[in-house]
Amino acid sequence: MTPTPPLFPQYPIRGVCVLHKKQNCAPHFAGIEVDFEPAAEGFAFEVARGLTVAYEPAEDLPRFFAAAAAGIEEQLRLPEYGILIAARVVLRRARADPFGSHERAFKIAGYLAAREALESARAPRL
Protein backbone atom coordinates (compact mmCIF):
# COMPACT_ATOMS: atom_id res chain seq x y z
CA MET A 1 0.00 0.00 0.00
CA THR A 2 1.38 3.37 -1.02
CA PRO A 3 1.50 6.00 1.76
CA THR A 4 -0.70 9.05 1.29
CA PRO A 5 1.32 12.15 0.42
CA PRO A 6 1.22 14.97 2.98
CA LEU A 7 -1.26 17.81 2.54
CA PHE A 8 0.06 21.22 1.62
CA PRO A 9 -0.07 23.47 3.47
CA GLN A 10 -0.40 21.83 6.86
CA TYR A 11 -0.51 25.24 8.57
CA PRO A 12 -0.98 28.84 7.38
CA ILE A 13 1.98 30.35 5.55
CA ARG A 14 1.39 34.07 5.46
CA GLY A 15 3.10 36.99 3.81
CA VAL A 16 4.92 35.19 1.00
CA CYS A 17 6.36 38.14 -0.95
CA VAL A 18 7.91 37.83 -4.38
CA LEU A 19 9.25 40.45 -6.76
CA HIS A 20 10.01 39.12 -10.23
CA LYS A 21 11.96 41.73 -12.14
CA LYS A 22 13.99 41.23 -15.30
CA GLN A 23 15.34 44.14 -17.26
CA ASN A 24 16.37 43.60 -20.86
CA CYS A 25 14.78 44.12 -24.26
CA ALA A 26 11.70 42.22 -23.01
CA PRO A 27 11.27 43.42 -19.40
CA HIS A 28 9.32 41.55 -16.72
CA PHE A 29 7.86 43.07 -13.58
CA ALA A 30 5.45 41.49 -11.11
CA GLY A 31 5.21 41.80 -7.37
CA ILE A 32 2.84 39.72 -5.29
CA GLU A 33 2.20 38.91 -1.65
CA VAL A 34 0.12 35.83 -0.97
CA ASP A 35 -1.08 33.80 1.99
CA PHE A 36 -1.36 30.01 1.84
CA GLU A 37 -4.13 28.65 4.07
CA PRO A 38 -5.04 24.99 4.68
CA ALA A 39 -8.24 23.91 2.91
CA ALA A 40 -10.32 20.74 2.84
CA GLU A 41 -9.00 19.78 -0.60
CA GLY A 42 -7.86 21.12 -3.96
CA PHE A 43 -6.67 24.57 -4.93
CA ALA A 44 -8.59 27.82 -4.56
CA PHE A 45 -7.30 31.29 -5.36
CA GLU A 46 -8.88 34.57 -4.40
CA VAL A 47 -8.03 38.23 -4.45
CA ALA A 48 -8.34 39.98 -1.09
CA ARG A 49 -11.34 42.25 -0.83
CA GLY A 50 -10.40 45.87 -1.44
CA LEU A 51 -7.07 45.11 -3.13
CA THR A 52 -6.04 48.07 -5.25
CA VAL A 53 -3.09 48.29 -7.62
CA ALA A 54 -1.81 51.50 -9.17
CA TYR A 55 -1.76 50.31 -12.78
CA GLU A 56 -3.38 51.36 -16.01
CA PRO A 57 -5.22 49.90 -17.77
CA ALA A 58 -6.88 48.35 -14.73
CA GLU A 59 -8.71 45.90 -17.02
CA ASP A 60 -5.42 43.95 -17.36
CA LEU A 61 -5.20 43.19 -13.64
CA PRO A 62 -7.65 40.24 -13.54
CA ARG A 63 -5.58 38.51 -16.26
CA PHE A 64 -2.38 39.17 -14.30
CA PHE A 65 -3.94 37.76 -11.12
CA ALA A 66 -5.20 34.68 -12.98
CA ALA A 67 -1.70 34.14 -14.37
CA ALA A 68 -0.22 34.31 -10.84
CA ALA A 69 -2.80 31.75 -9.68
CA ALA A 70 -1.94 29.47 -12.60
CA GLY A 71 1.77 29.74 -11.80
CA ILE A 72 1.20 28.87 -8.14
CA GLU A 73 -1.01 25.89 -8.94
CA GLU A 74 1.28 24.56 -11.68
CA GLN A 75 4.28 24.71 -9.36
CA LEU A 76 2.45 22.97 -6.50
CA ARG A 77 1.28 20.18 -8.82
CA LEU A 78 4.81 19.18 -9.87
CA PRO A 79 5.25 15.51 -8.95
CA GLU A 80 8.68 16.01 -7.37
CA TYR A 81 7.10 17.76 -4.36
CA GLY A 82 5.05 14.67 -3.50
CA ILE A 83 2.21 16.62 -1.89
CA LEU A 84 -1.57 16.69 -2.04
CA ILE A 85 -2.76 20.23 -2.57
CA ALA A 86 -5.30 21.42 -0.05
CA ALA A 87 -4.73 25.16 -0.29
CA ARG A 88 -6.63 28.38 -0.31
CA VAL A 89 -4.29 31.08 -1.64
CA VAL A 90 -5.17 34.73 -1.05
CA LEU A 91 -3.53 37.52 -3.03
CA ARG A 92 -2.99 40.31 -0.47
CA ARG A 93 -0.87 42.77 -2.45
CA ALA A 94 0.28 43.21 -6.02
CA ARG A 95 2.58 45.57 -7.87
CA ALA A 96 2.60 46.15 -11.60
CA ASP A 97 4.53 48.40 -13.94
CA PRO A 98 3.42 49.71 -17.34
CA PHE A 99 6.80 48.81 -18.89
CA GLY A 100 7.18 45.20 -17.84
CA SER A 101 4.03 43.77 -16.34
CA HIS A 102 2.26 41.11 -18.32
CA GLU A 103 0.74 37.70 -17.77
CA ARG A 104 4.04 35.84 -18.17
CA ALA A 105 5.72 37.97 -15.48
CA PHE A 106 2.87 37.28 -13.05
CA LYS A 107 2.90 33.56 -13.83
CA ILE A 108 6.63 33.44 -13.00
CA ALA A 109 5.94 35.37 -9.78
CA GLY A 110 3.37 32.68 -8.98
CA TYR A 111 5.95 29.93 -9.52
CA LEU A 112 8.37 31.74 -7.23
CA ALA A 113 5.76 32.29 -4.50
CA ALA A 114 4.84 28.60 -4.51
CA ARG A 115 8.50 27.59 -4.26
CA GLU A 116 9.03 29.98 -1.36
CA ALA A 117 5.97 28.64 0.47
CA LEU A 118 7.11 25.05 -0.06
CA GLU A 119 10.57 25.94 1.28
CA SER A 120 9.00 27.62 4.27
CA ALA A 121 6.89 24.53 4.98
CA ARG A 122 9.98 22.31 4.91
CA ALA A 123 11.92 24.52 7.33
CA PRO A 124 11.55 23.74 11.03
CA ARG A 125 8.94 25.91 12.75
CA LEU A 126 10.05 27.99 15.71
Side-chain angles (χ1 to χ4, degrees), residues 8-95:
F8 177 84
Q10 294 185 356
Y11 54 85
I13 303 170
R14 295 196 174 96
V16 177
C17 294
V18 172
L19 178 61
H20 172 61
K21 187 164 76 170
K22 182 174 100 174
Q23 297 176 338
N24 61 13
C25 59
H28 286 209
F29 185 93
I32 61 173
E33 180 181 334
V34 290
D35 292 343
F36 290 78
E37 303 282 342
E41 64 182 6
F43 177 84
F45 182 87
E46 64 185 66
V47 177
R49 192 174 312 152
L51 175 69
T52 58
V53 180
Y55 180 83
E56 291 295 328
E59 300 83 43
D60 290 346
L61 293 172
R63 287 194 341 267
F64 294 170
F65 300 161
I72 292 168
E73 185 173 15
E74 283 177 25
Q75 190 68 35
L76 294 177
R77 291 199 185 280
L78 291 175
E80 58 260 31
Y81 294 122
I83 58 170
L84 280 179
I85 303 169
R88 176 177 159 260
V89 180
V90 181
L91 179 66
R92 299 286 177 197
R93 289 187 185 81
R95 289 177 52 200

